[in-house]
DNA sequence: CTTGTTTTATGATTTAAGTCATAAAACGTA
DNA sequence: TACGTTTTATGACTTAAATCATAAAACAAG
């Protein structure tokens, strides 16, 4: 999102996170701007009985966790490395200075937040309608634009596990498995040795 | 959000909308920036069988519908006047010019989008947990900060109908009614001649 | 004041997704 | 290569919310 050399000019430092390592936790106050160099990060919540809800999954060059930074509020979710990852961290003060001194970056931030809001609006509407087929198809459909699904001769490879799809749509893994099978039977997606293609 | 005289300087015009009048529709491309002078606006989706999901409710001084404006994408939901309303409309080009020439406004926009993203994150997690009590309490709790609930001697008056609460949380109106009664019985909120207080 | 509409309310019934149990296939790694 | 873990898979059963029906209270409009 923001050029790496610009971030470094303002004092950003690279930090490595192991798979499953926590980057920040729900309820804590934000201290940094985070931008991924490599790897994969998820933001998620766990409810009282341990059930997970994934707010979003982020990949290289993407930033995450900005909203509370601008609002002086605590994080509404946890950030966890899904894979070994490298992240650039820029302290809040420096980040704000960077924004002030580089007005063009503000528009980038706006576009980024707008994009995420757009995704959440679509998924919120979808999740309230309750139909598993709809939810999963919409996730996959918008996911092709937002997540880094790769296209090959079979179509787009949806590189999410059934569990992740469940955690992103609010469905249980068994329901996801059964629904995906249904959707395959209907011909709207393909399953090639367990991998889902659209 | 943005000072009215500044908006007018860039050519914003006031327009009146009757109760239930449509301001813009899902699927259309955005043409203006909208800021409410008076009244109440909801953004919502209707699914295939006519069920409504309310994305948000907006009041005086608030803006709405910006994300697609920044993304050149179509609106993900409809905007409808809940009451007779007056709205300032600023054409997209002029709005972009305003932003360019007034960098401080960008930060305001960022904060506003961050706020809405924050609300949606919280509600998304809540809606996926499925428990009506949780959903409704969270809506009311965060709503006290985001919607204009007024406090009196009984507490905060939740000036939503049961139907609206259902449309905001993805629950059916009967479920909302029963759940609110349960919550009253548990003493976590009050019902005083049908109005809900927290 | 009357009438039509919206909102709140409640009981009976249905149903779809969740839950529970169990297992095979695939994957990772020591 | 063997072993533990993760992922996918399936069947039986449960349950909570949706649905359906019906109505009273409140409100709005003429």
């Amino acid at each position: 999102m923001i050029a790496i050399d610009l971030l470094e000019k303002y004092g950003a430092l690279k930090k490595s996170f192991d798979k499953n390592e926590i980057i920040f936790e729900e309820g804590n106050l934000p201290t940094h701007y985070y931008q991924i160099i490599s790897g994969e990060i998820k933001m998620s919540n766990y409810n009282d009985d341990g059930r997970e809800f994934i707010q979003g999954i982020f990949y290289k060059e993407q930033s995450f966790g900005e909203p509370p930074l601008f609002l002086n509020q605590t994080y509404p979710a946890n950030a966890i490395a899904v894979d070994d990852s490298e992240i650039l961290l820029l302290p809040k003060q420096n980040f704000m200075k960077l924004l002030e001194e580089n007005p063009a970056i503000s528009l980038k931030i706006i576009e980024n937040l707008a994009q995420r809001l757009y995704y959440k609006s679509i998924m919120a509407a979808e999740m309230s309608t309750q139909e598993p087929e709809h939810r999963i198809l919409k996730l996959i459909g918008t996911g092709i634009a937002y997540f880094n699904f790769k296209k090959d001769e079979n179509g787009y490879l949806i590189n999410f596990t059934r569990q992740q799809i469940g955690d992103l749509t609010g469905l249980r893994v068994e329901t996801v498995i059964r629904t995906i099978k249904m959707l395959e039977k209907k011909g709207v997606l393909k399953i090639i040795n367990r991998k889902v293609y659209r």
Side-chain angles (χ1 to χ4, degrees), chain A:
Chain A
M1 253 259 85
I2 302 180
I4 292 175
D5 51 357
L6 184 60
L7 286 169
E8 282 172 342
K9 198 177 122 188
Y10 281 83
L13 291 177
K14 200 194 299 196
K15 203 175 161 191
S16 294
F17 292 87
D18 292 334
K19 182 174 176 169
N20 294 326
E21 199 177 340
I22 294 169
I23 295 147
F24 56 71
E25 281 182 281
E26 182 177 351
N28 289 346
L29 279 169
T31 57
H32 292 79
Y33 167 82
Y34 297 91
Q35 185 169 308
I36 302 170
I37 294 174
S38 68
E40 186 178 341
I41 306 297
K42 73 173 172 189
M43 290 204 55
S44 62
N45 298 93
Y46 296 93
N47 75 3
D48 305 334
D49 36 65
R51 187 165 169 190
E52 183 175 17
F53 174 72
I54 301 179
Q55 294 280 355
I57 298 183
F58 302 92
Y59 304 92
K60 69 167 186 290
E61 288 164 30
Q62 295 187 298
S63 59
F64 58 92
E66 297 98 309
L69 200 63
F70 292 110
L71 302 170
N72 299 312
Q73 288 188 84
T74 59
Y75 284 116
N78 308 285
I80 297 166
V82 177
D83 272 333
D84 292 350
S85 303
E86 288 187 306
I87 302 179
L88 267 179
L89 276 76
L90 180 62
K92 181 178 170 175
Q93 317 297 6
N94 306 31
F95 175 61
M96 290 306 184
K97 192 151 177 264
L98 185 158
L99 273 194
E100 259 172 50
E101 295 173 2
N102 302 270
I105 301 294
S106 289
L107 193 61
K108 284 242 180 190
I109 301 282
I110 287 174
E111 282 169 7
N112 185 240
L113 294 178
Q115 187 87 186
R116 276 145 71 179
L117 204 42
Y118 196 82
Y119 166 79
K120 282 216 181 293
S121 297
I122 289 170
M123 285 311 297
E126 211 56 35
M127 284 180 52
S128 86
T129 79
Q130 307 291 42
E131 276 159 49
E133 291 196 8
H134 260 105
R135 295 200 214 185
I136 291 172
L137 281 180
K138 203 71 169 192
L139 175 75
I140 288 174
T142 67
I144 287 168
Y146 293 97
F147 306 112
N148 65 354
F149 295 151
K150 288 173 193 84
K151 196 171 188 173
D152 65 16
E153 67 278 10
N154 299 311
Y156 286 99
L157 167 63
I158 312 306
N159 64 333
F160 285 151
T161 64
R162 311 286 193 272
Q163 183 64 61
Q164 283 180 315
I165 292 173
D167 293 341
L168 282 159
T169 53
L171 298 167
R172 306 259 72 175
V173 66
E174 297 94 329
T175 305
V176 173
I177 289 167
R178 288 180 240 246
T179 305
I180 285 180
K181 292 239 150 150
M182 282 291 292
L183 289 169
E184 192 205 17
K185 204 164 287 173
K186 290 187 181 177
V188 340
L189 43 78
K190 280 178 274 188
I191 304 177
I192 296 163
N193 58 38
R194 295 174 151 214
K195 299 199 173 302
V196 180
Y197 290 87
R198 172 73 217 244

